[in-house]
Amino acid sequence: MIYLLLLPLFYFSMLVYFRIADHYQIIDKPNGRSSHSEVTIRGGGIIYLIAALFAVNLQAQYWLPLLALFIIGAISFADDRLTLSRGIRISFHLVAVTLLFVYLGIFGDYPIWIIALLYIVVIGVINAYNFMDGINGITGTYSLVVLAGLQYVNLQQIHFIHADMIWLPMMASLVFLFFNFRGKARCFAGDVGSVTIAFWIVFLLMQLIINSGHFAYILFLAVYGVDAVLTIIHRLFLRQNILEPHRLHFYQVLANDQSWSHLLIATIYTFLQLLIMALVIFYPTQFGLLFFISTLPLVLVYVLAKPKLQLKEE
C-alpha cells in the first residue's frame, strides 16, 4: 500500500519542484556542446533525494549510506545552481564515498592499495554516469533497468538488501521518466539526478558483490562503461581536457551528428544493458568469459562505427 501512496506523492513533489525551479531560474540553457535546443528546467533528479528521505524513514538501518547519498546529492544540486569548483565537488565526493566504505566494512577487510583503487573506481563510475546524462530519457531508462536487474537478483537469487532500497529509486525513476522521456523534456536530471542515482546504484552493486563474492555484477554497467572509457581514451588521443564538456560520446554522435531520436538512443542503450544483465543472471560463468562476451561487441561497434558516423572532427 505504501508504494501506491508514494507514486502520486513523488509526482506532486516534482510539480512543486518545477514551481521552485521556475521561480529561481534553475534552468539548463543550450550551448554549443548541448544535445538539446531549448531552455529546460534542471535538477529534476532531485526526486532521488526525495526517495532517499523515505528510504531512511522506512529502513533506518541504512542511514549511513543514505547520509552519504544526501551529501553527494546536496553538493550536486548546489553545483546545478552555482557551478562549484572541481575541488569542492571532489572533496564532498570523497566524504560520501568514505562513509559508504565505512558502512560496507571496506577499511577493515582490504589492504590500502585496494582501498585506494576502490576510491578511484567508485568516484570514476559516479562521474562517468554523470557524463552519460546528455540526452532525454537515457539516465532514467538505463537506471530503471539496472535497478530492475538488481531487484530480480535480490528477490530471486541472492538477498543482499531490503527490497525497499531498490523499489524506491525505481519508483523515482518512473516518475522522473514521465517528465523526461519525451521529445521535448519537461525537465533534465541535472547533476543532482545523475550523480545521486549513480551513487545509489554503486552502493547496491558493491553490497551485492561483497555478499555474493562475484565480480560479474559489475557488468550491470557495461554499456555505460564501454562508452565512457573509450570516449576518455579518444579524447586523450585528441589531447583534450577530459573534464571539459564535449560531444564525443557515442550516444552524442548518434544524437547530434546523425540526428537520431534521443528516445530511440536511450531505448537502445537500455535494451543492450538488459541483454547483458540477462547473460550475467541466467548464464553465470567465469567473470573473464562474461566480460569478453558482453563488452567485445560493444567495443567493436564503438571503434568501427564511430569514425564513420562523425560528421566533423571535434
Side-chain angles (χ1 to χ4, degrees), residues 204-226:
L204 295 171
L205 279 171
M206 291 188 71
Q207 182 80 69
L208 173 57
I209 291 170
I210 290 171
N211 282 28
S212 67
H214 298 307
F215 291 99
Y217 292 111
I218 195 65
L219 294 174
F220 276 33
L221 296 178
V223 177
Y224 265 21
V226 169

Side-chain angles (χ1 to χ4, degrees), residues 124-145:
V125 169
I126 291 169
N127 282 278
Y129 210 99
N130 185 27
F131 295 155
M132 292 296 295
D133 178 35
I135 58 174
N136 298 355
I138 196 166
T139 291
T141 54
Y142 192 87
S143 300
L144 183 61
V145 77

Side-chain angles (χ1 to χ4, degrees), residues 2 26 70 88 233 243 255 271:
I2 193 167
I26 308 175
F70 277 112
I88 293 176
I233 294 172
L243 299 178
F271 180 71

Side-chain angles (χ1 to χ4, degrees), residues 3-220:
Y3 297 143
L4 295 177
L5 294 174
L6 285 179
L7 271 174
L9 186 57
F10 284 0
Y11 173 81
F12 287 114
S13 296
M14 288 288 282
L15 296 182
V16 171
Y17 174 72
F18 290 162
R19 285 181 170 269
I20 295 172
D22 276 334
H23 180 77
Y24 289 102
Q25 288 292 287
I26 308 175
I27 56 177
D28 196 313
K29 297 180 180 179
N31 55 49
R33 297 294 180 178
S34 302
S35 296
H36 62 284
S37 58
E38 298 183 3
V39 174
T40 307
I41 290 175
R42 191 177 191 182
I46 198 171
I47 189 66
Y48 292 112
L49 288 180
I50 294 171
L53 281 173
F54 285 95
V56 78
N57 279 281
L58 292 172
Q59 303 299 331
Q61 68 269 32
Y62 301 109
W63 70 270
L64 189 57
L66 288 169
L67 172 61
L69 185 143
F70 277 112
I71 290 172
I72 203 169
I75 197 63
S76 298
F77 183 73
D79 188 46
D80 281 331
R81 186 75 179 97
L82 304 172
T83 309
L84 304 173
S85 70
R86 292 193 190 100
I88 293 176
R89 294 199 306 270
I90 197 67
S91 297
F92 278 83
H93 285 206
L94 285 169
V95 170
V97 173
T98 298
L99 293 177
L100 175 61
F101 285 2
V102 169
Y103 173 80
L104 294 173
I106 299 296
F107 295 109
D109 294 339
Y110 300 94
I112 292 177
W113 70 270
I114 289 183
I115 294 173
L117 181 61
L118 282 174
Y119 269 105
I120 295 171
V121 170
V122 169
I123 292 177
V125 169
I126 291 169
N127 282 278
Y129 210 99
N130 185 27
F131 295 155
M132 292 296 295
D133 178 35
I135 58 174
N136 298 355
I138 196 166
T139 291
T141 54
Y142 192 87
S143 300
L144 183 61
V145 77
V146 171
L147 290 165
L150 287 166
Q151 190 69 297
Y152 180 87
V153 173
N154 187 48
L155 297 178
Q156 301 296 327
Q157 296 183 339
I158 304 168
H159 181 69
F160 64 94
I161 201 164
H162 195 286
D164 285 352
M165 293 296 292
I166 306 179
W167 287 130
L168 287 167
M170 286 181 69
M171 288 191 295
S173 295
L174 284 171
V175 172
F176 172 70
L177 282 168
F178 178 79
F179 298 103
N180 181 255
F181 195 80
R182 308 179 182 197
K184 180 182 177 182
R186 188 165 179 187
C187 70
F188 296 147
D191 287 356
V192 64
S194 55
V195 170
T196 301
I197 191 56
F199 186 89
W200 204 324
I201 288 173
V202 166
F203 161 49
L204 295 171
L205 279 171
M206 291 188 71
Q207 182 80 69
L208 173 57
I209 291 170
I210 290 171
N211 282 28
S212 67
H214 298 307
F215 291 99
Y217 292 111
I218 195 65
L219 294 174
F220 276 33

Side-chain angles (χ1 to χ4, degrees), residues 259-271:
S259 300
W260 283 31
S261 161
H262 288 199
L263 304 187
L264 174 61
I265 298 168
T267 301
I268 291 172
Y269 269 61
T270 300
F271 180 71

